[in-house]
Amino acid sequence: MVASLLLMLALSTDESDIHDTGLIRTDDRRCRVRIPGGQFAASLAAMLDKSL
């Protein structure tokens, strides 16, 4: 499998589901992005970041 990097422009983020206990932040962050180039140029996408 070959991994590739893709540049994206974040249009908006939603962190309303994130729980902050002061020490640990958990849950999901959602964002809408625009892909400016490549095979999916001008596409809009919704992303979910579960790395918090």
Side-chain angles (χ1 to χ4, degrees):
M1 174 184 282
V2 176
S4 62
L5 296 176
L6 183 62
L7 178 68
M8 291 180 258
L9 175 65
L11 301 175
S12 65
T13 60
D14 177 6
E15 298 182 359
S16 62
D17 288 339
I18 294 177
H19 304 286
D20 190 348
T21 63
L23 182 60
I24 299 174
R25 296 178 72 195
T26 60
D27 225 326
D28 303 334
R29 176 185 0 203
R30 293 174 192 80
C31 60
R32 295 212 19 100
V33 297
R34 178 182 308 274
I35 303 168
Q39 179 182 358
F40 300 102
S43 297
L44 294 176
M47 298 181 62
L48 181 64
D49 181 4
K50 297 181 82 61
S51 64
L52 296 175

